[in-house]
Amino acid sequence: MEIVQIPFVKHLGIQQQDDRLWLHPDLALENHIGTLHAGAIYTLAETASGMALTRDFPELTDKVTALLRSSEIRYKSPAKTMLYATAQIDKTEAKTFLHRLKKRGRASINVHVTVKGEENDITVMEGVFGWFVALDADGGS
């Protein structure tokens, strides 16, 4: 399943363009002060972190189960405009992750995400999302 086809992601209207996910402002996504709700912004960032896993480890598609285990986020600015999220995985951490996954059948990895406003490129949120990944019962073969 494409990441933007996940029911809740689709419900929020998150869209993909290249390596970015986009969230369009909508009255239904606003909070009590008329800015985008923190939960909608969080979902954009969390979804981008999952997309980074599939982008950086395509060989694991349909061979693992990945579950979000933790997140550490910081909201930096309120948002009223269209937002985009980008996600990065440290190359050294990626190598360690693959080694552990192959050896133990499970491993954890952190994905760093930045959410920015399209209009002024101001950082709205930064976060680190910790994923637990396990090979499926068939051993990933």
Side-chain angles (χ1 to χ4, degrees):
M1 173 185 297
E2 245 184 272
I3 201 146
V4 294
Q5 295 303 316
I6 294 170
F8 188 64
V9 172
K10 193 173 182 177
H11 174 73
L12 292 180
I14 294 172
Q15 298 176 345
Q16 181 179 352
Q17 183 179 18
D18 300 321
D19 281 346
R20 290 183 177 181
L21 289 181
W22 295 85
L23 179 64
H24 298 267
D26 186 292
L27 186 60
L29 302 179
E30 288 184 3
N31 60 22
H32 63 290
I33 60 170
T35 61
L36 283 168
H37 194 282
I41 298 168
Y42 180 92
T43 301
L44 174 67
E46 184 267 343
T47 305
S49 73
M51 186 176 78
L53 291 176
T54 61
R55 177 196 67 212
D56 290 4
F57 306 107
E59 70 277 17
L60 299 179
T61 301
D62 298 327
K63 296 179 182 177
V64 299
T65 299
L67 299 170
L68 184 66
R69 179 174 269 177
S70 65
S71 64
E72 184 176 327
I73 59 166
R74 184 175 184 106
Y75 294 96
K76 304 190 74 75
S77 178
K80 288 188 172 192
T81 64
M82 187 160 47
L83 301 180
Y84 67 91
T86 57
Q88 305 298 324
I89 297 174
D90 179 80
K91 290 180 192 275
T92 302
E93 187 171 355
K95 288 179 185 177
T96 301
F97 164 77
L98 284 174
H99 174 75
R100 286 186 181 147
L101 184 64
K102 184 176 181 181
K103 184 176 181 181
R104 299 180 185 160
R106 64 187 188 282
S108 296
I109 190 162
N110 289 320
V111 181
H112 301 265
V113 179
T114 302
V115 176
K116 293 187 174 190
E118 178 192 40
E119 187 174 287
N120 49 19
D121 221 30
I122 290 177
T123 299
V124 172
M125 187 187 105
E126 293 176 329
V128 178
F129 293 81
W131 287 87
F132 172 78
V133 180
L135 290 174
D136 289 339
D138 63 1
S141 45

